[in-house]
Amino acid sequence: MPFAAYRRALPLLRIPFSVYLMPIFWFGLSALRQPFSPARAAGVFIVLHLLAYPASNGYNSYYDRDEGSIGGLKIPPKVSAELLHLVWLFDALAVGGALLLNWWFALLVAIYLLVSKAYSYEGIRLKKYPLASTVVVVVFQGLYTFLMTQIGVGASPAEIYHPQNLLLALVSTLFLCGSYPLTQVYQHQEDSRRGDQTLSLRLGIRGTFVFAGLGLLLGATTLAAAYFWRRELPNLLLFLLATGPVTFLFLRWARAVWHDARVADFDHTMRMNQVSSLCLSVAFVLMLLRHLL
């Protein structure tokens, strides 16, 4: 039955995995000093995390046709034409939902969806180029999404383009630059088979962890400078406390990988994603509540 085919394809949208990206959403909101509508914020979250990101995931899966584990799915189902139908549906719903908020947000969502397709589409496939693909991902899932979230909730241009806010937007890209290669570290064999020269594959397993550590350290240092500039030292303290478990887990995992490269596997990668997403989200939600209360 057609419905059964769509149901089998639905997991490849990896909606739960899309929620791992929510720290950027909360970070963007926590940086705003002017009030915004909670209803609009909920709308932005639905458009990005339940529609746009899943559409991007599904399109990537359609062209990758992974046989091994991928983000959020240890054993992915076979790709079918129905998956592409779901991708187009989610694309349309994402842009249509964004239009209900404002047309600038809708335009940014549409651009994000097009760029994500260039990342995977076989005729372009930015994923084959380690530097180009990394720049696209960390900019569009970091700084771009940070600002897109603020535009979606209706923040004023003066606040969005204030130098302090732009510095925080840059921080989101630096954090992505550190964490993104870690999401590729268990897929070296699969990427090599397809001819995709990912950044993690080029760096090697140990090199990936060194690069990630430096990127995350640079992001944390820049964030500290931004909060000092904004005179928001309580936010810095919240960040340090909430991310303590992330630092501990990363260092413990890196130490284990240094002795046994097989530990750079799917299960450890997903655990790192889950813990970092939860801890960062908690930190930024607490910062947001400080401003609202």
Side-chain angles (χ1 to χ4, degrees), residues 209-276:
F209 278 83
V210 172
F211 183 90
L214 292 174
L216 295 172
L217 179 61
L218 180 59
T221 303
T222 308
L223 181 67
Y227 283 147
F228 269 106
W229 187 11
R230 289 165 62 104
R231 299 180 181 178
E232 294 178 344
L233 295 185
N235 283 354
L236 178 58
L237 179 60
L238 283 172
F239 175 82
L240 293 175
L241 290 174
T243 56
V246 182
T247 303
F248 173 78
L249 183 62
F250 173 76
L251 292 175
R252 188 176 69 172
W253 185 25
R255 183 175 182 273
V257 167
W258 219 258
H259 292 90
D260 184 359
R262 292 173 298 179
V263 182
D265 57 14
F266 173 82
D267 291 331
H268 284 86
T269 302
M270 290 304 102
R271 186 178 304 121
M272 187 74 211
N273 282 343
Q274 292 165 357
V275 172
S276 61

Side-chain angles (χ1 to χ4, degrees), residues 134-190:
T134 299
V135 169
V136 166
V137 169
V138 303
V139 169
F140 276 86
Q141 291 188 355
L143 180 148
Y144 187 89
T145 297
F146 181 100
L147 299 177
M148 181 166 57
T149 296
Q150 296 179 334
I151 290 171
V153 300
S156 68
E159 183 169 24
I160 291 172
Y161 301 113
H162 192 283
Q164 294 178 351
N165 189 63
L166 293 178
L167 181 59
L168 290 176
L170 175 62
V171 167
S172 66
T173 279
L174 293 175
F175 280 135
L176 260 295
C177 193
S179 60
Y180 173 62
L182 289 177
T183 66
Q184 305 168 327
V185 75
Y186 66 93
Q187 291 184 304
H188 288 187
Q189 184 175 354
E190 188 87 25

